Amino acid sequence: MFVTGLLATSLNMVLGFGGMYQFGHAVFYGVGAYTLALFLTKTDLPPWIGFLAAPLVAAGFSLVIGLICVRLSKLYFGMLQISLGSLVWAITFRWYSLTGGDDGINGIPLPELISSTTGAYYCTLAMVLVSLLVMFCITRSTFGRIFLGIRDNPERSASIGINVKAHQLVGMVIAGFFAGVAGSLFVVVEGSVFPDLMFWTLSLEILIMCLLGGWFTFLGPMAGAAIIVAMQTFVGSYTEYWTMILGIVLMLAIFFLPEGVLGFLLEKLAIRSTTGTGD
Amino acid sequence: MGCAANLNLAAFCQQILVGLSKTTILFIVSSGLSLVLGVLRIPNLAHGSLYMIGAFLTYSLALLFGGGGLGFWLALLLSPLCVALAGLLMERGLFRHLYEREHLMLLLFTFSFTLVFGDLVKLVWGSEYRSLPLPSFFQGSIETFGLPFPKYNLFLLAVGPLVAAGLWYLTNRTAIGKIARAAAVDREMVGAIGINVSLVFCAVFVIGCFLAGFGGALVAPTQNITQGMDHGIIMETFLIVIIGGLGNIWGALLGALIFGLTDAIGILLLPQYAIVFPYLAVIIVLTFRPNGLLKSTW
């Protein structure tokens, strides 16, 4: 849940704060996971290099894909990203000698410190918290402010001399970097990787988490991920048709809570504190 | 040596024909998506689910009517109609209230439909593969370029242009088509001159759903009908619509051709990586023509 939450938060860096329709975010997650997995299985280098490389390689992919996509806007941007993502997915799916094809890579040897469940848990928790903190600082920095400005009014931002495309690109690279961190943590938790980590349905699922939790708030995606993972666990234990329930809940949410759960709660709190009635 | 070259050329032409019959299906499904995108501005991810439901319904209806030739034709006609009916309910019940929302919201709303429909199919048809046998008169193949070519694919090759012509007639020669095109450009103005835009939208959505169901019905006898066939088709049709130009029917045709043919040629060149080729084509097109090949209504 923490890993998914981190992934959703990294997506929201560009989605909620940059207003960019990042539809292929899962690719960077998958690339991060595969990078670490390949480092641990195919090389004798010390593991920490793999952990360092995973986010960097993901950020590199993000840079390349960003360079191609960033000229486009909104839906076109998103769809080009999906097709680039599908390309990466398809290659991963078929390149048996390197990636294990559709079977993925199983039984990845983890370093001793994190091979136990508790070790993995604390390592993941720490990494997630640090990443969240860094991302929070980024959103509060000058760069974050400029990013918000671009989301709200790209033309005006451009007219006051901000290089909109360059900022969007940097935003994508940052988001890709943290998606890579999330990907490496997936390996720590699961000990395996498979191509579905990059499939576009996962990209949309994390988009849903952002929207459900509230994409205009920093912690919204985390809340969204928590809600969905909790639903999956509880509803999934009662019926195998839990995605249907999820679909219905989602429809209701889109109808009645366009700001997301956290956005809705914050709005309620804001109204209470300003009117001061609070019954 | 010369003989081998001939054989390769024959195999090439053959493969092109197979690609073209795949193009037919892609075109029919993506033209429906393109209509909905162009006029209603709904990026309808549930379109692929409707296609899947169309295929499953065709399977069940064909068996219900005895599995013979008559049953096949009836199923081919009835299942798209059922899908269109589902579309009617979706539009009147839900989408109608959401037109003013952001595209992202609409996209996710339709995605939640795919979740529901996916499980609905699992509930009704279970999760094993289904396959619909071809009626006897479509079985077998004829010789083309000295190689056997399935009769049913020939039928598909005939259906494609028919649907294209029908859509051209609908959008260019009928009142509703003209109103729909006008509403795509400026819906307020169309509403202001006293036309019930809401009804036009509904009609377009239903036609779009019909086309999704029809594509599913046509594909039913050619491949395994499975859960998850919605994921593949929706991505393909979306990319087709994007590279063709959003909301442009001829763009959908062009995009389907590019997709179907690069896929066919990819199978010849590098079978293992064939699925990569259409995506490459999309990337090349969008790199040079970011707004699609033909004029978009957006």
Side-chain angles (χ1 to χ4, degrees), chain A residues 72 82 94 241 243-244 254, chain B residues 101 105 119 123 235 272 290:
Chain A
L72 306 181
I82 284 199
R94 291 296 167 111
Y241 301 109
T243 50
M244 188 189 291
I254 292 170
Chain B
R101 293 286 185 83
M105 287 293 182
D119 265 3
L123 200 67
M235 203 29 59
Q272 198 191 352

Side-chain angles (χ1 to χ4, degrees), chain B residues 19 54 62 109 114 142 150 169 177 189 255 260 267 285:
Chain B
F109 193 70
T114 67
I142 55 159
Y169 185 81
M189 190 53 82
I267 290 172
V285 168

Side-chain angles (χ1 to χ4, degrees), chain A residues 12-29:
Chain A
N12 204 42
M13 290 288 290
V14 282
L15 180 77
F17 291 93
M20 295 153 79
Y21 288 4
Q22 178 118 329
F23 288 172
H25 198 60
V27 167
F28 312 126
Y29 182 54

Side-chain angles (χ1 to χ4, degrees), chain A residues 244, chain B residues 46-61 75 78-87 90 113-125 209-220 225-231 233:
Chain A
M244 188 189 291
Chain B
H47 204 72
S49 311
L50 294 170
Y51 161 90
M52 173 171 69
I53 290 175
F56 271 103
L57 271 177
T58 309
Y59 166 81
S60 291
L61 287 174
L78 280 180
S79 61
L81 285 176
C82 294
V83 174
L85 185 70
M90 278 161 74
F113 260 109
T114 67
L115 297 176
V116 173
F117 281 145
D119 265 3
L120 212 57
V121 165
K122 193 155 86 178
L123 200 67
V124 176
W125 283 282
C209 294
F210 179 87
L211 287 167
F214 190 48
L218 283 174
V219 90
I225 308 167
T226 65
Q227 257 191 72
M229 65 192 278
D230 53 340
H231 288 328
I233 192 87

Side-chain angles (χ1 to χ4, degrees), chain A residues 227-239:
Chain A
I227 293 170
I228 287 185
V229 173
M231 267 185 63
Q232 188 167 12
T233 321
F234 291 121
V235 184
S237 65
Y238 285 108
T239 162

